[in-house]
Amino acid sequence: MTSAIRPVGPTPALLAKHAPRRSTLVRKRDDADVHVPSSPSKRSKVTFDSDVEVQVVEEWGKSPAVVQESVRRAIQKHAAGDSASYERIKGVFAPANADQDEASPTAVKNHTAALLNNVSMLDKFCVDLVNTVLDSNWLQRSEDYVQLFTQFLANLVSAHGVHLPNVLRMLAGNLTPIDAPSQSNPSKLPGIPRSKIYERAHKTLQYLLQIIPSACRILFSVLTNTFPHQSDSRRAHLIYVRNLLQITEYAPILQTDILALTTERLMKIDVQVQEDLEDLAEDAEDRVVRHIPNAGSDVDKILDDPEDSDEDSDSDEEMDEDILRARDIAKNVEKMDCILDMLFAYYDRQSRLPPTRSRTGFMDVLLSQFQTIILPTHRSRHTQFLLFHFVQQSETYVDIFVGMCAQTSFDKKKPAMVRQAAAAYLASFVARGTRVSAEIVREVWDYLSTELKRLHREYESGCRGPDPQRYSTYYSLVQALLYIFCFRWRDLESGLDEDMEDDELPSIYDAERHWRVGVKETFQLNLFSKLNPLKVCSPAIVTEFARIAHQLRVVYVYHVLETNKRIRLSRFSGASNYTQVNRETALSARSDEEHQHLDEYFPFDPYHLPRSKRWIDGDYREWKGVPELDDEQAVESESEDEGIEDSDVEEVTETEDSDQ
């Protein structure tokens, strides 16, 4: 049985047929009661009570729910090409200007919460909005707002990695003393100390690195680009370096890279100071020292004082040019001194940490920096003393460092400049380190003697004369040996107790001095050979060695020095055919040979930085020479001065007598 499906309810036709009649109780309207409007399209006029107050709700007076919805719609319209509402949102976070008042803290907080709830919509097409929010003064606001903003940053970089570099750049910028937009302080906000700003930035950065560990790679690139230029102020460098060192506390994976970055930038300042000093007059160093402030000034005070600046004053225009240059150099010296003092303190704390802590050992970091940064850099003056101090904290470290320098100086695969620098570091460390034992001195002497014997055997047969270019490594090792002997000659004597005081040691005038096996033989083999190292080594070191060696009766070389005065290195240096000498011309005979001598640079020469010098007290061996010999020279010098004065008096007396 089938049934037709019928619509539910009455049909229109039935409704029209059975429409109910109008009740007869209702009075019929007269034509006069019906008001016909003058125009069918005109509506009735609506009037309002004039006593009712009408208010317009401002953008930042809306409730959080309304703000959240308006932000969502604004971003949607922006994607469709309508950016009017989108620009109004940017205006909430933009700084106040003449055309627009600053948004209230409540409005800023509501809009930040709205962006947090709509963070999935902030893709790469909203970069300008995100950057405006990042540049807002969020670090100066209340603690609860900072927490809200930190959560927004975390959700933002988790949802859209495209914003991660900008977020890290913003945080790194807030670790500098330069007023970033997020460090600005509008009049409506309470003042926040800079130390609090840095603390908040570190806390936020640490949280982001915890949730996104891969951000460390991008962060280091950002930190490198944010590092102050070497011409920036002392305060800018100190604040940034201190913040970098703090990052290593919660991001140990960046420790090695951050410390290497700091050392590299410090080396640039160090080398620049040495170049500037060389360009000045001979008394420049004294003038520079006079311009360095007292070391007693508090570094923390420098860091916390926003008025501290290295900027020049207007009166500088009236100063002499050399004085201005000396003062500029002094500023760089003080900058380097403060940074070194900070690094000394940092490594000192690291050296006291328990060995179980999960981070790279501080000595491994220093040795790595030595090989990759310090050793290849020519004429660094102070940075290497970080290594000088901490290596001497352990005999094991001394052995490692000495072995590293020796191996590098003997390695034929290394460039000649690096091998020469390694020999200089080896000699200077052994000569100047007070905690370098006599045993180490003798071992290094044996290493150098053995290598020189091998090189002598290799070069002697084909040598026609001293050639600094061809035999540069050989000459650098000889110079290292001479330098060590000048400082540590007592450790090369045989039969002496290492703990004996100077007044207990034998006099230099003793008829017989006993030297360890190989000391005299090494000098005889190398100093009188055709390679003639005394002609190529630094004249200052050769002269001092000749004086000490003669008085100690170990070797006599003055006749070689006299002969070398008549030898021109240009006859041998750089010859294409090493079996023949170059013909000497009038021009080459008059040319200065100073540039062909080995550099007398030894990296651990006296350390004079006033603030950080305290760290190497007790580590450094000052020049003593030969006590009895130096005393005689001092007496002779005084006698000569007195003789000059007496002769002057006699001359004046004779003149007066003749006048009478």
Side-chain angles (χ1 to χ4, degrees):
M1 176 178 180
T2 62
S3 61
I5 299 177
R6 298 180 180 178
V8 179
T11 61
L14 292 176
L15 289 175
K17 183 176 181 181
H18 300 286
R21 292 187 176 183
R22 181 186 297 270
S23 174
T24 56
L25 296 177
V26 180
R27 183 178 65 88
K28 294 182 181 180
R29 289 182 296 177
D30 298 334
D31 294 340
D33 295 336
V34 180
H35 173 72
V36 181
S38 58
S39 174
S41 62
K42 185 175 181 180
R43 297 183 179 180
S44 301
K45 183 178 181 181
V46 180
T47 59
F48 295 93
D49 190 347
S50 59
D51 295 334
V52 177
E53 181 180 1
V54 179
Q55 295 182 347
V56 178
V57 179
E58 297 290 344
E59 181 69 23
W60 45 77
K62 298 177 181 178
S63 65
V66 174
V67 172
Q68 178 177 339
E69 180 61 20
S70 63
V71 167
R72 186 187 65 80
R73 292 183 178 182
I75 297 175
Q76 285 183 338
K77 291 181 179 180
H78 171 69
D82 182 4
S83 300
S85 301
Y86 181 84
E87 293 297 329
R88 284 196 295 270
I89 297 175
K90 291 171 57 178
V92 174
F93 296 94
N97 52 50
D99 299 331
Q100 180 179 349
D101 294 335
E102 187 178 10
S104 67
T106 302
V108 174
K109 184 176 181 180
N110 289 340
H111 280 77
T112 303
L115 291 174
L116 173 61
N117 292 326
N118 292 286
V119 72
S120 60
M121 303 178 67
L122 299 176
D123 53 16
K124 61 181 181 180
F125 299 105
C126 298
V127 171
D128 54 342
L129 171 60
V130 171
N131 289 340
T132 302
V133 175
L134 295 180
D135 290 340
S136 64
N137 51 354
W138 65 281
L139 285 170
Q140 287 280 5
R141 297 186 179 274
S142 62
E143 193 67 37
D144 60 335
Y145 180 78
V146 172
Q147 294 178 1
L148 173 65
F149 199 90
T150 301
Q151 191 60 50
F152 164 71
L153 294 178
N155 288 15
L156 177 67
V157 296
S158 298
H160 306 285
V162 67
H163 298 304
L164 180 59
N166 288 338
V167 170
L168 296 178
R169 273 191 288 269
M170 178 270 296
L171 291 172
N174 283 298
L175 300 178
T176 66
I178 303 174
D179 286 333
S182 50
Q183 291 182 355
S184 61
N185 183 17
S187 58
K188 295 182 181 180
L189 300 178
I192 301 294
R194 288 180 179 268
S195 58
K196 188 66 174 178
I197 292 177
Y198 301 143
E199 178 186 342
R200 289 175 169 180
H202 278 296
K203 189 175 181 180
T204 302
L205 184 58
Q206 180 179 2
Y207 179 62
L208 294 183
L209 294 180
Q210 287 175 351
I211 63 175
I212 308 179
S214 60
C216 289
R217 178 179 55 84
I218 302 176
L219 174 61
F220 178 70
S221 176
V222 171
L223 294 175
T224 302
N225 296 330
T226 312
F227 203 103
H229 188 267
Q230 66 184 58
S231 61
D232 288 345
S233 69
R234 168 191 59 184
R235 182 169 175 271
H237 279 81
L238 294 183
I239 288 179
Y240 194 70
V241 170
R242 183 176 68 172
N243 284 322
L244 285 182
L245 297 181
Q246 187 172 344
I247 292 176
T248 64
E249 299 296 332
Y250 56 81
I253 193 174
L254 292 176
Q255 181 192 45
T256 301
D257 293 333
I258 287 178
L259 292 175
L261 170 64
T262 306
T263 301
E264 179 186 359
R265 298 305 173 91
L266 180 61
M267 291 284 288
K268 290 183 178 180
I269 300 175
D270 196 351
V271 173
Q272 184 63 50
V273 167
Q274 304 313 310
E275 293 177 353
D276 293 341
L277 285 174
E278 291 177 357
D279 293 340
L280 289 180
E282 294 181 356
D283 60 342
E285 188 169 355
D286 294 334
R287 283 184 289 169
V288 168
V289 172
R290 287 197 299 269
H291 284 90
I292 299 177
N294 191 345
S297 57
D298 190 2
V299 175
D300 290 335
K301 183 178 180 181
I302 298 174
L303 295 173
D304 296 334
D305 184 10
E307 301 300 326
D308 181 86
S309 175
D310 296 342
E311 297 298 328
D312 298 333
S313 61
D314 296 336
S315 60
D316 294 346
E317 300 178 358
E318 303 175 359
M319 292 185 180
D320 181 74
E321 182 178 354
D322 287 342
I323 296 178
L324 289 176
R325 292 184 64 188
R327 197 181 67 172
D328 290 340
I329 296 173
K331 291 178 181 179
N332 280 333
V333 171
E334 187 186 10
K335 182 192 308 177
M336 176 172 55
D337 191 12
C338 292
I339 296 175
L340 274 170
D341 189 65
M342 191 177 293
L343 289 175
F344 270 117
Y346 175 84
Y347 282 115
D348 185 64
R349 293 192 301 271
Q350 294 293 309
S351 66
R352 302 175 190 277
L353 292 177
T356 56
R357 188 162 181 174
S358 58
R359 61 176 62 237
T360 305
F362 83 102
M363 185 51 61
D364 293 335
V365 173
L366 284 172
L367 292 174
S368 174
Q369 291 177 14
F370 173 74
Q371 287 184 310
T372 59
I373 302 175
I374 298 177
L375 184 61
T377 304
H378 185 54
R379 298 197 69 81
S380 171
R381 179 69 178 78
H382 296 93
T383 309
Q384 57 266 23
F385 275 89
L386 288 167
L387 202 71
F388 181 84
H389 169 69
F390 290 105
V391 162
Q392 294 189 67
Q393 304 306 305
S394 167
E395 292 184 0
T396 302
Y397 296 155
V398 171
D399 288 338
I400 293 174
F401 180 67
V402 167
M404 179 182 296
C405 291
Q407 183 179 4
T408 303
S409 60
F410 301 161
D411 190 354
K412 292 184 177 181
K413 297 179 181 179
K414 299 290 184 181
M417 290 296 295
V418 174
R419 297 169 68 183
Q420 294 177 30
Y425 271 96
L426 175 62
S428 190
F429 178 75
V430 171
R432 293 288 192 175
T434 58
R435 294 184 172 88
V436 178
S437 64
E439 182 181 358
I440 293 293
V441 175
R442 297 178 188 121
E443 289 180 359
V444 171
W445 183 273
D446 292 340
Y447 291 155
L448 294 177
S449 299
T450 302
E451 181 65 13
L452 284 173
K453 185 177 181 179
R454 185 189 67 80
L455 293 176
H456 177 271
R457 185 169 56 250
E458 178 181 345
Y459 296 149
E460 177 75 8
S461 59
C463 177
R464 303 291 296 176
D467 189 340
Q469 296 183 10
R470 188 179 186 187
Y471 310 123
S472 59
T473 301
Y474 172 80
Y475 294 130
S476 64
L477 294 181
V478 173
Q479 179 164 288
L481 209 66
L482 302 182
Y483 190 81
I484 292 174
F485 182 84
C486 290
F487 277 88
R488 305 297 295 263
W489 57 270
R490 289 200 183 278
D491 295 323
L492 298 174
E493 291 186 281
S494 61
L496 295 181
D497 188 354
E498 186 176 349
D499 297 328
M500 293 176 65
E501 299 293 338
D502 288 343
D503 55 357
E504 300 174 346
L505 294 171
S507 171
I508 63 171
Y509 301 110
D510 288 347
E512 291 293 335
R513 304 190 72 86
H514 301 284
W515 301 94
R516 296 183 69 250
V517 176
V519 173
K520 287 187 175 182
E521 291 79 4
T522 297
F523 287 142
Q524 293 288 340
L525 177 66
N526 294 282
L527 301 186
F528 304 118
S529 67
K530 290 185 293 184
L531 293 165
N532 196 357
L534 296 181
K535 178 61 180 178
V536 180
C537 293
S538 168
I541 296 175
V542 170
T543 301
E544 188 63 30
F545 167 78
R547 184 177 71 92
I548 296 175
H550 174 58
Q551 292 296 330
L552 296 177
R553 300 182 180 90
V554 61
V555 65
Y556 182 82
V557 296
Y558 279 112
H559 64 291
V560 178
L561 302 186
E562 288 298 321
T563 303
N564 286 341
K565 293 179 180 179
R566 298 186 295 272
I567 296 178
R568 296 287 177 181
L569 289 176
S570 57
R571 299 181 60 204
F572 307 98
S573 179
S576 57
N577 185 357
Y578 288 103
T579 61
Q580 298 180 357
V581 299
N582 290 340
R583 184 174 62 87
E584 183 178 28
T585 63
L587 180 61
S588 63
R590 295 195 303 267
S591 63
D592 187 4
E593 292 188 339
E594 182 179 357
H595 69 282
Q596 298 187 25
H597 290 142
L598 289 185
D599 192 355
E600 60 184 58
Y601 165 73
F602 284 91
F604 298 121
D605 279 348
Y607 189 98
H608 295 306
L609 298 182
R611 187 187 308 276
S612 55
K613 186 178 181 180
R614 61 190 176 93
W615 291 99
I616 64 169
D617 289 343
D619 297 337
Y620 195 74
R621 182 187 303 272
E622 300 288 348
W623 167 253
K624 293 182 179 180
V626 182
E628 298 175 15
L629 177 61
D630 292 342
D631 292 341
E632 280 188 2
Q633 287 188 339
V635 172
E636 292 177 0
S637 178
E638 292 177 0
S639 300
E640 291 177 358
D641 293 341
E642 292 177 358
I644 293 174
E645 293 176 358
D646 292 341
S647 63
D648 291 341
V649 173
E650 292 175 358
E651 182 179 354
V652 172
T653 305
E654 292 176 358
T655 304
E656 290 178 352
D657 293 341
S658 63
D659 291 341
Q660 293 177 356

